[in-house]
Every structure is written in structure tokens, then in C-alpha cells.
Amino acid sequence: MKLIFLGPPGAGKGTQAEKISEHYGIAHISTGDMLRKEMREGTPLGKAAKGFIDKGELVPDEVIIGMVENRIQAADCQKGYLFDGFPRTIAQADALLSISDIDMVVNIDVPAERLVERIGGRRMCAGCGAGYHVSMYSKDTCEKCGAKLFIRDDDKPETVLNRITVYERQTQPLIDYYKAKGLLRTVDGDRTPETVRTDILALTEKLVSRLRTRLTLKR
Ligand code: AMP
């Protein structure tokens, strides 16, 4: 199963992607998480990416495409994968066409006016990069590794507004792009994480039956 989760920053893509990928045993590919890991490790890629990320701008397409191309070769991608935060531009989506097929794109829809408030509650672990939201987790240390939680530089209000503008300008056109290919399904993301997950699971379960039928017909 090969999925894309599309949506503005703060829509809950990461939270949903973690659960859904776990449910199906497929790889969760978050280009944002990959870039933050490079930054934590201080690699040349991480250092180059930091300038863009801290301003709320997108990292150049060729860097992202190279990263994803490598990532999908890994053993954990054999059963499938779920892209979270990729593609973010038409150029990335075009490049993806030549390296992988995609079964479904889930667009998590949240009104722009709710995003700033939602992002304001996000916290991240300084040790392992796990994400939390204050509405669901009130401690200031990570449940998984015990390290301190902090607010991502690019989650601060001055950067968030730019990230939303960048999303509207560069990523939102992908909604029509995937609609035209018949791959787009939209869920209302402005509800509890559990309700949103139930809706997404209904879509992915339909997809699983479709993929099974296709496999049976091929045999
Ligand atoms: P995210 O955690 O997905 O919100 O990503 C955080 C930041 O990483 C974004 O604001 C971008 O600067 C960068 N980034 C993540 N994914 C991409 C992508 N597919 N293309 C370009 N930049 C990206």
C-alpha cells in the first residue's frame, strides 16, 4: 500500500500517519522528520536544510527528491509506505511519478484559522524527535526516551504564518493535481484525532479490498 497524507502544517498529518502506518505495517516516511534528524546529527544536509526550515521555507526540491528516492529502497518499504509532508510541490509530485506508483492521497482538511492555535500546542522531544500536543500530553519530558520536550523553532508564531502561506502557494495546488488523477480523498481534520483516524481507516480499508481484488484478478 502506497499512500500520501496531504494537508497544511498543523493538520495532524504526523499523528495520523504514525498510527495508520503502524496499523498496516508500512513505513512512515516523514521528510520533515528526516530533515530534523539530519539537523540533530549536524550533517552537511542538516546544516543546509536548517536555513530554509527555520524561515518556514521549503527545502529545495532536488534535495528532497534524492532523499526520498534513497529512502524507498530500504527493506522496511517492501510492504508499502506512507508519505507525510511529501510531496510539497508539483515538481516533487512529478518526480515521484517516475520513482513510485501511489494508491491513494488523503487530504486532511483543516481551516487556516485553526492552524496557528493547533501548532501553538505542539512539543517535540529533543532526544528522539517524537511529537506531542499539550492537549493530550501535559508532561515536559518524552514518554519514549525521557529527554526534554521543546517548541520547534519553526512552530513559533512568526514562522508559522509563513509556513501557512508557503503551503497555500506551493502545496495546495497538489489537491487539484491528485484530484485530476482520481486519487484524492478528503477527510475533515478539524475533529478529535480518534474521529479523524476512523474516517481515514474507512478509506484505507476500502483501498485494501480494492488492492486484494486486483491481486486476485492478476493470479
Ligand atoms: P514538517 O515537519 O513536514 O512540517 O516539515 C518541516 C519543514 O521541513 C518544512 O517547513 C520544510 O522547511 C521542510 N520540509 C519537509 N518536507 C519537505 C518537502 N517535501 N519539501 C520541502 N521542504 C520540506
Side-chain angles (χ1 to χ4, degrees):
M1 184 165 23
K2 293 164 186 162
L3 305 172
I4 293 173
F5 279 9
L6 200 63
K13 295 187 297 295
T15 306
Q16 298 298 340
E18 195 179 321
K19 300 276 187 204
I20 300 287
S21 57
E22 210 177 275
H23 182 85
Y24 291 109
I26 58 177
H28 172 194
I29 305 183
S30 157
T31 42
D33 282 349
M34 290 168 79
L35 292 167
R36 281 185 289 277
K37 182 164 183 279
E38 299 278 346
M39 292 197 317
R40 278 199 302 279
E41 291 170 357
T43 65
L45 196 158
K47 283 180 187 151
K50 187 171 165 45
F52 296 98
I53 294 176
D54 284 354
K55 284 196 285 231
E57 297 292 330
L58 295 185
V59 172
D61 287 333
E62 55 277 15
V63 174
I64 300 289
I65 293 162
M67 221 170 66
V68 168
E69 210 167 349
N70 279 332
R71 180 66 185 87
I72 60 174
Q73 310 296 329
D76 68 330
C77 290
Q78 290 246 319
K79 267 184 78 178
Y81 32 84
L82 192 172
F83 288 120
D84 155 17
F86 172 86
R88 258 178 157 99
T89 63
I90 299 279
Q92 291 178 19
D94 282 343
L96 178 61
L97 276 180
S98 62
I99 57 171
S100 173
D101 53 333
I102 292 295
D103 301 306
M104 186 164 80
V105 179
V106 179
N107 174 34
I108 306 181
D109 187 37
V110 175
E113 62 273 19
R114 297 272 295 117
L115 300 173
V116 178
E117 174 196 328
R118 286 172 69 136
I119 293 176
R122 291 212 294 210
R123 300 291 180 269
M124 175 158 282
C125 171
C128 69
Y132 295 93
H133 198 277
V134 291
S135 62
M136 289 182 279
Y137 186 83
S138 56
K139 295 186 191 153
D140 58 4
T141 50
C142 179
E143 190 175 51
K144 296 178 185 162
C145 76
K148 265 204 120 27
L149 303 186
F150 71 108
I151 301 175
R152 268 163 57 176
D153 278 343
D154 64 335
D155 275 353
K156 298 194 172 142
E158 54 281 18
T159 314
V160 166
L161 292 178
N162 190 40
R163 287 171 66 199
I164 296 171
T165 308
V166 165
Y167 166 79
E168 287 172 347
R169 202 178 303 139
Q170 295 185 264
T171 309
Q172 214 165 30
L174 290 175
I175 294 179
D176 283 338
Y177 180 100
Y178 286 118
K179 209 184 270 173
K181 294 188 188 301
L183 291 175
L184 193 87
R185 305 287 179 274
T186 295
V187 297
D188 174 3
D190 198 12
R191 295 168 304 158
T192 64
E194 293 72 26
T195 316
V196 177
R197 184 156 80 241
T198 306
D199 273 16
I200 297 177
L201 275 171
L203 293 171
T204 47
E205 281 302 291
K206 262 198 226 160
L207 172 66
V208 167
S209 340
R210 239 191 315 133
L211 293 176
R212 283 215 182 100
T213 317
R214 206 193 294 164
L215 262 181
T216 318
L217 289 176
K218 264 193 191 164
R219 276 200 194 116

